[in-house]
Amino acid sequence: MGHQNITEFILLGLFSDEDVKVACFVVFSLCYVAILSGNLLILLTIRWSRLSEQPMYFFLSYLSLMDVCFTSTVAPKLITDLLAQRKTISYNDCMSQMFYAHFFGATEIFILVAMAYDRYATICRPLHYMVIMSRQVCYVLVMASIIGAFIHSILHVLIIIELPFCGPNQIDHYFCDVFPLLKLACMDTSLLVIAIITTTGVMSILTFVALLISYIIILSTLRTHSSEGRHKALSTCGSHITVVFMFFLPLILTYVPTADSVSNDKVLALFYTMIAPMFNPLIYTLRNTDMKNAMRKVWCREKPFEGK
């Protein structure tokens, strides 16, 4: 099989109106700078402070790294294409963009699950916490997230590589994703669409439900805690739940309905490619005293990188 005649695709992008494109170029460029600086600030603060010893922040640093990588697979092309006359992407670049977007996105989902498990262990099993969440366990969870995401992404790529592309090469999206590509294949892909909706859609829904249940268990356990401990735990869980909703709802709405609603998918995809990664740093830092204190230490008083 393989990709027969097509060597490049044309990305139709988000908008056709020229004025809207220029405005979006400015807005998305600022968003991308905010995503990079906000997430790198969190990443470096955790790495350079004592927070990295705590599992929650260990995972948060990986979450920030995934946000940077995930957005970087999509945003630069989205931004430059807003001003470009011809928005083309080669077949190989398209496949690799799809692979990396799914890889970093799926890793992020699995790390969110690890973070929920960590909160559960902290609040529901405090006496065994150090054993349950040892550094070794943390590394195993991150490695499992990466391996799981790799399997998920490579399967998507293997499906698409086998498809024949011989006709129109216009992708109705701003990056290469599975559904828009399936629509261009010169064969009946309805079974593949159903297969992908069931695997990815079911995975997203199950993960989302598992996360919600874990946070419900955590919140019900909190009723027995002292008011001060409860307030701190509620604050942390609140920020986690916000991130989970912002990331998962658009994702589920993309993968669960039929694959015909691509125009809505483009707008929904903005949520998990640009908006959620931009708000993650704010959500995690503004409500978190430990993080704010660590930032003051690392960036204001002592600067561990100056003397080197």
Side-chain angles (χ1 to χ4, degrees):
M1 296 280 270
H3 59 105
Q4 283 154 20
N5 321 351
I6 287 185
T7 54
E8 64 175 19
F9 294 103
I10 296 165
L11 291 162
L12 294 180
L14 270 170
F15 310 103
S16 47
D17 188 313
E18 289 303 316
D19 296 337
V20 175
K21 280 183 186 174
V22 175
C24 283
F25 175 80
V26 175
V27 172
F28 291 159
S29 299
L30 292 172
C31 286
Y32 187 48
V33 170
I35 288 165
L36 290 182
S37 47
N39 283 295
L40 289 172
L41 180 69
I42 283 193
L43 186 68
L44 296 173
T45 302
I46 292 171
R47 289 289 153 97
W48 287 341
S49 70
R50 303 205 51 182
L51 286 181
S52 58
E53 294 164 13
Q54 297 176 40
M56 182 174 97
Y57 296 103
F58 172 82
F59 291 129
L60 184 54
S61 68
Y62 278 97
L63 192 73
S64 294
L65 180 63
M66 286 309 119
D67 270 335
V68 168
C69 296
F70 181 52
T71 306
S72 297
T73 58
V74 177
K77 182 102 180 98
L78 162 66
I79 291 164
T80 51
D81 277 357
L82 284 167
L83 299 187
Q85 289 304 309
R86 258 175 77 73
K87 309 173 183 61
T88 57
I89 184 166
S90 75
Y91 180 87
N92 290 344
D93 286 352
C94 189
M95 293 303 115
S96 56
Q97 188 186 47
M98 184 177 75
F99 173 79
Y100 287 118
H102 277 265
F103 175 66
F104 294 127
T107 308
E108 188 161 337
I109 287 174
F110 293 136
I111 287 174
L112 285 171
V113 174
M115 288 172 86
Y117 178 63
D118 170 64
R119 292 299 82 209
Y120 167 78
T122 319
I123 293 162
C124 305
R125 307 285 299 282
L127 299 177
H128 305 103
Y129 181 68
M130 296 313 287
V131 180
I132 297 173
M133 294 307 292
S134 66
R135 187 41 49 113
Q136 206 174 355
V137 171
C138 293
Y139 278 119
V140 166
L141 287 171
V142 169
M143 281 311 298
S145 302
I146 292 168
I147 293 164
F150 178 80
I151 294 166
H152 161 83
S153 315
I154 206 79
L155 285 175
H156 277 71
V157 173
L158 292 173
I159 287 171
I160 298 292
I161 284 175
E162 286 302 308
L163 297 179
F165 292 104
C166 50
N169 65 341
Q170 294 190 326
I171 298 175
D172 187 14
H173 212 305
Y174 58 86
F175 70 100
C176 287
D177 202 8
V178 180
F179 288 150
L181 282 168
L182 283 173
K183 293 185 95 164
L184 298 182
C186 305
M187 61 175 277
D188 180 22
T189 55
S190 49
L191 278 174
L192 282 174
V193 169
I194 293 165
I196 288 171
I197 286 176
T198 45
T199 52
T200 309
V202 167
M203 187 184 86
S204 306
I205 290 175
L206 285 178
T207 313
F208 182 60
V209 169
L211 286 171
L212 284 188
I213 291 170
S214 70
Y215 283 117
I216 289 165
I217 293 169
I218 289 167
L219 295 175
S220 63
T221 310
L222 280 177
R223 289 182 307 188
T224 58
H225 286 229
S226 66
S227 60
E228 192 190 333
R230 191 186 311 154
H231 178 73
K232 192 175 178 186
L234 269 175
S235 170
T236 310
C237 288
S239 53
H240 286 214
I241 293 165
T242 313
V243 169
V244 165
F245 268 96
M246 278 179 68
F247 195 83
F248 273 92
L249 287 183
L251 192 70
I252 289 170
L253 290 171
T254 305
Y255 275 98
V256 175
T258 59
D260 295 332
S261 53
V262 170
S263 54
N264 297 341
D265 289 357
K266 286 196 284 192
V267 179
L268 286 170
L270 269 182
F271 265 91
Y272 55 84
T273 54
M274 296 287 279
I275 297 167
M278 186 170 66
F279 282 101
N280 280 1
L282 289 173
I283 291 166
Y284 282 116
T285 47
L286 292 180
R287 302 183 55 175
N288 191 319
T289 342
D290 293 344
M291 195 76 199
K292 283 189 243 181
N293 291 340
M295 279 184 176
R296 277 192 208 105
K297 267 189 189 155
V298 171
W299 302 101
C300 303
R301 283 200 286 267
E302 43 187 273
K303 301 201 173 182
F305 48 85
E306 270 189 355
K308 290 179 184 174

